[in-house]
Amino acid sequence: MEHVPPPAEELALLDRELAWLDTRRAQLLTRRAWLLRALQATGPAPRGPVAPWGPGPGGFGPAGPAPERSVQNVLLVLGGLLLAVAALAFTLVSWGDLGIGGRSAVLTAVTAGALAAPAVLLRRGLGATAEALAAVASVLMVLDAYAVYAVAVPDADGAAYAGTAAAVLALLWAAYGLLLGRLRLPLPLAVVSAQLPLVLWVWAAGGGPLWFSGALLPAAALDGVVALRAGRASVRVVACVALCATGGTGLLVALVESLAAAGPAGAVAPGALLLAGAAAALAGARRAPVAFATAGGVVAGLAAVAAVGGVPAAAVPDGWPVTAYLLCAGALLCSVRAPLGLAAARGLAWASAVVAAGAVLVSLAPVTVVAAGPVTRLGAVWSGAPRGGARGAVGATDLPWEAMVSAPVVLLLVAGALGAAFRWREGLLRWAGPVLVPGPAWRGAAGSAAVALGWAGLMVLPAALDLSFAAARAGQLVLAVAAFGLAVAGLRAGARGVAVTAGAVGVAGAVGAALLSLATEAATYTAFGLLVVVFVALAVALDRQRGASPVVVSAAACAAVVCAVVPMAALGASLGLAVYEAAVPVLAVPAVTALLGARLKGRPVAVPVEVTGAAAGVVAVAMAVGDARFLALVLALCGVLAAGTALRPDRRPFAGYLATVLFVAAAWVRLAVSGVSAPEAYTLPVTVPALVVGVLRRRRDPSASSWAAYGAGLAVTLVPSLGAAWTDPDWTRPLLLGVAALGVTLVGARLRLQALLALGGAVLALDALHELAPYVVQVAGALPRWVAPALAGVLLLAVGATYEKRLRDARRLKEALGRMR
């Protein structure tokens, strides 16, 4: 075996590492000894013996037995559990074997001993043992209470006796814990036991939900007092947990009763309990830390809104209670100026915001239905105005509108409040003082939310009021126009968030209006014509506005082009034309965009507009596919548009090639329609003069590309002939085509002309493939099935073995083709 490094060098390296570790260990042990002496000189020694540090069985670590404190705690816990089990068994099993005197003596002796022992143990410094015996004493006290009930008052009501016993135990544990202040268990037990008496007494009395709420709230108030005044952290934590449990349950029960009230009178009593809880929360918030004070303010605000709003909410019809709570939440904001403390006032403000957010969420259900409903119009184009007015237009006639009629009111109220906060931010901050300190982002968020909620409220308003279909459609259009105007105004004012939100809702409104307008013929022309004007005006306004993104301007212009396609496509249907016949009017859109592109030369919006117009041309071609004659006509017209665009120097390369392709495709389609079996008779008369023109151009301009000079002329003949050869059963045409393609390929290679080489080679390869295909099929059928995968594997291995060389060959071929004209 070969060692790296050699054994001698590795041994020296290990010796140096061990020496360094020994030196470092000596330094750490010296420092540890100094720290122990310093602790012994300046204060009490650490509790329990310090475990010596040294190498143990598993390496360096604390050596010796487990810490004595851990062993002591385990023993004490086990002992306490055993005593508790023994006491429980004695009480349940052996209690009946003793007389009255024996029972009293046992109870008195055991409980007194368990309660007195911790005091002696604490004086001797045995705190853990005292805690264990205190726990045993607590269990014994509960068992004693049960034993007294079982023997002395067996006929008493169980719930009432349990409540009384809980109260007595709470007082005893509180007194015991205060007397022996070093014990940590009695006071938390007293807090837990104090939660039960009132609830159990109400249960025994057969009280209803409001009585249970009335029993829980005083217990929660007592928990709050303990949490604020207790000096021990464990007691405060238990009191806080009990406060959340009892107070939250009591307020929740009162809230449920307030919501279920049959009338205003029935909501008064739950409202009084909620107001009492709110007052208690505010009283505690004045002295609580900041975080707890804010939480108390939130709870108080929510309880106050539920209390005050519950009375009118029980009186209004279905659908309007949300509005009552929302108005109460708005009134709650006025309380932020009351002398309640800064944190509590902020909690009230947060409570108002929570109620408003909840009201908005409840009101969004009809908004989603109305926003998505216009999509159903796609399946009923020009079917007439839908039944059911605005609700029928969005397919929402079956919704419970009686319960959702207040949705637009809620949304508009919240939008108005947010809009006012956005508009008069400085005045609001001066009025609220230090309670409201929002950052700059909050103002933009408020403005954006105001725009979105305002649009949602106005959009759902026609359906909520059950207006006509025309009113719903007109409302969508007006909303779209207003939103776009607000977007431009927001950009001018520097409120970019408002502008973006307004633009987004404007687009949504425009889409909804466009879909709704598909119901009738007149509405389609009116709506899409208006949208074209609106988007053009928006693009112009944004283009003139400083700070507007060119992408947004281009999007507005492209939207105008898209909206123009629909009425042009609908024109054919209005004239009774077939779909393929209606493709011709659609070509007016790319014609106009081509002219606009020339007019907008140099602007960023020019290219997107022309590309969108070209997409409209693709739509026209797709519409004309149903009839080959019209397809040839549409392709030719598209070629004319592309040729006209190629007159511009900046569009000449791409538009020229596109025009050539379109003209050639139109010619092919027309030849196919005419049933021509010998396309060469029509294509050669075009190819010859085209090649002559190409030769003359190359002589005048040697730098001209071979594709521009010869590509179109060669493709006019070669490609149709290739298509005819693939369907020709004779051998004459494929042979002549192959010879011609071979000649073109050789000329291209000799003269280094890329177009001739590429077109001739491609046609030659496809023609040869057509001729060899039957023989390949026969050979493949005669060979065993394993030959094909074997040959493929050999080919892959060969290519893989010479991959780098093949890659270099491909790059050289690409470079050679690139150097050709």
Side-chain angles (χ1 to χ4, degrees):
M1 179 178 177
E2 182 178 0
H3 292 274
V4 180
E9 294 182 10
E10 186 177 1
L11 182 60
L13 178 63
L14 292 177
D15 289 338
R16 286 195 297 270
E17 292 290 337
L18 290 173
W20 181 86
L21 290 175
D22 290 337
T23 303
R24 182 58 179 165
R25 181 173 182 273
Q27 293 174 354
L28 294 176
L29 290 175
T30 303
R31 181 64 178 174
R32 181 176 182 276
W34 183 87
L35 291 174
L36 287 176
R37 289 194 300 271
L39 288 174
Q40 294 173 357
T42 58
R47 293 185 178 180
V50 179
W53 191 270
F60 285 92
E68 296 181 6
R69 179 69 63 183
S70 300
V71 175
Q72 180 187 22
N73 291 337
V74 172
L75 294 176
L76 291 174
V77 170
L78 290 176
L81 289 176
L82 291 175
L83 287 176
V85 171
L88 180 62
F90 171 76
T91 303
L92 296 178
V93 179
S94 302
W95 182 262
D97 297 337
L98 299 176
I100 295 299
R103 297 172 185 174
S104 301
V106 170
L107 283 173
T108 302
V110 174
T111 304
L115 291 174
V120 178
L121 294 173
L122 288 175
R123 285 196 297 269
R124 297 187 177 184
L126 301 176
T129 308
E131 290 287 352
L133 286 179
V136 173
S138 301
V139 176
L140 289 175
M141 294 175 71
V142 175
L143 296 175
D144 291 344
Y146 169 75
V148 171
Y149 170 74
V151 175
V153 287
D155 298 330
D157 184 83
Y161 178 81
T164 305
V168 173
L169 288 176
L171 293 175
L172 292 176
W173 279 330
Y176 189 65
L178 293 175
L179 182 62
L180 300 178
R182 293 173 60 184
L183 291 179
R184 291 173 292 183
L185 184 63
L187 290 178
L189 285 177
V191 173
V192 174
S193 182
Q195 314 303 312
L196 303 177
L198 292 177
V199 176
L200 292 174
W201 288 337
V202 169
W203 187 9
L210 289 179
W211 286 98
F212 276 100
S213 177
L216 289 169
L217 291 179
L222 179 61
D223 295 332
V225 173
V226 173
L228 290 175
R229 296 184 176 275
R232 186 170 294 173
S234 60
V235 179
R236 292 198 302 269
V237 170
V238 174
C240 287
V241 173
L243 169 63
C244 295
T246 56
T249 305
L251 291 176
L252 185 60
V253 171
L255 175 61
V256 172
E257 291 298 310
S258 177
L259 294 175
V268 172
L273 291 174
L274 289 170
L275 284 178
L282 285 178
R286 293 176 63 88
R287 297 184 179 182
V290 175
F292 293 95
T294 303
V298 172
V299 172
L302 295 176
V305 170
V308 178
V311 177
V316 298
D318 291 341
W320 291 99
V322 177
T323 309
Y325 289 112
L326 180 62
L327 293 176
C328 291
L332 180 65
L333 285 176
C334 299
S335 62
V336 298
R337 293 182 60 87
L340 301 174
L342 182 61
R346 286 180 178 172
L348 294 177
W350 278 107
S352 179
V354 168
V355 175
V360 168
L361 289 177
V362 172
S363 304
L364 285 181
V367 175
T368 57
V369 175
V370 174
V375 180
T376 59
R377 294 290 95 202
L378 290 174
V381 177
W382 289 7
S383 61
R387 297 180 180 179
R391 297 176 182 177
V394 295
T397 55
D398 297 333
L399 291 181
W401 286 102
E402 295 78 8
M404 297 186 297
V405 69
S406 66
V409 178
V410 171
L411 295 173
L412 291 175
L413 284 176
V414 178
L418 292 174
F422 174 80
R423 177 65 179 81
W424 294 289
R425 174 177 177 270
E426 301 300 331
L428 176 64
L429 294 181
R430 286 194 300 270
W431 174 80
V435 175
L436 299 178
V437 191
W442 283 94
R443 184 172 186 264
S448 300
V451 172
L453 294 178
W455 172 80
L458 293 174
M459 182 191 63
V460 80
L461 188 60
L465 298 179
D466 199 14
L467 300 181
S468 64
F469 167 70
R473 188 182 66 250
Q476 292 274 29
L477 286 172
V478 172
L479 279 177
V481 174
F484 290 140
L486 184 60
V488 176
L491 282 178
R492 291 177 180 174
R496 184 169 293 273
V498 173
V500 172
T501 305
V505 299
V507 171
V511 172
L515 293 176
L516 289 178
S517 67
L518 296 177
T520 62
E521 182 178 358
T524 300
Y525 288 110
T526 303
F528 280 95
L530 179 60
L531 288 176
V532 170
V533 176
V534 169
F535 279 114
V536 169
L538 178 63
V540 173
L542 291 175
D543 188 52
R544 295 177 178 177
Q545 181 62 47
R546 180 179 298 177
S549 173
V551 177
V552 178
V553 178
S554 301
C558 294
V561 177
V562 172
C563 291
V565 174
V566 176
M568 299 309 298
L571 182 60
S574 299
L575 297 176
L577 304 177
V579 175
Y580 57 85
E581 295 174 329
V584 177
V586 176
L587 293 178
V589 176
V592 173
T593 55
L595 296 175
L596 284 175
R599 181 69 177 83
L600 299 172
K601 181 179 179 181
R603 292 179 176 271
V605 73
V607 174
V609 167
E610 292 184 69
V611 171
T612 309
V618 175
V619 172
V621 172
M623 293 174 63
V625 169
D627 188 272
R629 296 173 302 164
F630 272 89
L631 178 60
L633 175 61
V634 170
L635 288 172
L637 292 176
C638 291
V640 171
L641 294 176
T645 305
L647 295 176
R648 297 165 50 192
D650 56 333
R651 299 287 188 266
R652 182 168 300 162
F654 179 78
Y657 292 134
L658 180 61
T660 302
V661 171
L662 290 172
F663 282 133
V664 172
W668 294 344
V669 172
R670 188 60 193 174
L671 290 174
V673 171
S674 301
V676 174
S677 59
E680 295 83 3
Y682 299 90
T683 57
L684 281 175
V686 178
T687 296
V688 173
L691 293 178
V692 171
V693 172
V695 171
L696 295 177
R697 181 180 177 184
R698 289 271 297 175
R699 286 182 179 180
R700 186 172 61 252
D701 183 13
S703 63
S705 170
S706 62
W707 289 99
Y710 310 118
L714 289 173
V716 167
T717 295
L718 290 178
V719 177
S721 297
L722 179 63
W726 271 65
T727 58
D728 194 344
D730 296 330
W731 59 271
T732 308
R733 186 190 302 274
L735 176 60
L736 295 176
L737 178 62
V739 171
L742 177 60
V744 171
T745 303
L746 294 176
V747 172
R750 176 68 180 82
L751 301 179
R752 304 182 63 81
L753 297 176
Q754 188 181 100
L756 276 67
L757 182 61
L759 284 174
V763 172
L764 179 61
L766 293 174
D767 185 60
L769 177 63
H770 172 263
E771 293 302 309
L772 295 176
Y775 303 102
V776 173
V777 172
Q778 292 178 4
V779 172
L783 291 177
R785 294 186 178 181
W786 57 267
V787 173
L791 292 176
V794 171
L795 177 62
L796 290 176
L797 289 175
V799 173
T802 60
Y803 175 75
E804 293 296 336
K805 184 178 180 182
R806 301 285 81 80
L807 188 61
R808 288 194 299 270
D809 294 341
R811 288 173 180 170
R812 284 196 295 268
L813 177 61
K814 179 181 177 182
E815 293 172 357
L817 288 174
R819 288 193 296 269
M820 292 182 179
R821 288 292 181 182

